[in-house]
Amino acid sequence: GDSVTQMEGPVTLSEEAFLTINCTYTATGYPSLFWYVQYPGEGLQLLLKATKADDKGSNKGFEATYRKETTSFHLEKGSVQVSDSAVYFCALVYNFNKFYFGSGTKLNVKP
Amino acid sequence: DTGVSQDPRHKITKRGQNVTFRCDPISEHNRLYWYRQTLGQGPEFLTYFQNEAQLEKSRLLSDRFSAERPKGSFSTLEIQRTEQGDSAMYLCASSLARGGTYNEQFFGPGTRLTVL
């Protein structure tokens, strides 16, 4: 069945460090891929998306490229800020527009 | 605020009691989704509606769970005879679906249920 696997956290970085959060997926068709972010006490917010292979999603300095050959959608940011501290969820959408989410990766950024 | 709202934000109940949650989607959105999120996990799909029709239910949605969206606007999720394993965050999301294209789902803040 369809599923998403993402790296376990927490990930702790110093401000301005480079961030990578790994995400791989299993899908029987051609899903769209997403990263959602959940700040403390808030609901899930769409961070970026890619709807087909080789697409790159980007937003707020974050990027992720849809790699069909490696079934991956890794999240990257060149220089993290304390305000980026949150839980990040990788997800795919396939059939009926329902999401399959990964288990989330908590990011802590220290000043 | 025109986002998705959920009520209550927190609910504590005793095992065996019934609880009902409400979700108010973004007003023009025709699709409404319910998810459950347990600690340390990502949200899991429960069910979704297109207008007032419930189009899919997950196997996670046991007979004790029922969801309605009677007028195609707000939705309720009821859990009967609650069990401690029902303790979780219940998330609602809505989207405006047109044809076969995907449209972004907007999530509410969730209702946190604790069953004692």
Side-chain angles (χ1 to χ4, degrees), chain A residues 49-71:
Chain A
K49 68 179 181 182
T51 57
K52 62 183 186 297
D54 299 325
D55 273 1
K56 177 185 283 187
S58 61
N59 186 27
K60 300 181 181 179
F62 291 89
E63 294 183 337
T65 301
Y66 188 163
R67 303 284 188 199
K68 187 179 177 182
E69 64 276 11
T70 54
T71 61

Side-chain angles (χ1 to χ4, degrees), chain B residues 11-30:
Chain B
K11 178 70 177 178
I12 299 174
T13 190
K14 293 182 179 179
R15 189 176 53 187
Q17 298 295 305
N18 299 343
V19 294
T20 300
F21 310 141
R22 177 179 170 124
C23 171
D24 286 88
I26 294 171
S27 60
E28 64 269 25
H29 284 184
N30 55 356

Side-chain angles (χ1 to χ4, degrees), chain B residues 88-104:
Chain B
M89 178 76 85
Y90 290 85
L91 298 172
C92 177
S94 70
S95 71
L96 178 61
R98 294 193 183 98
T101 61
Y102 168 77
N103 293 85
E104 178 183 347

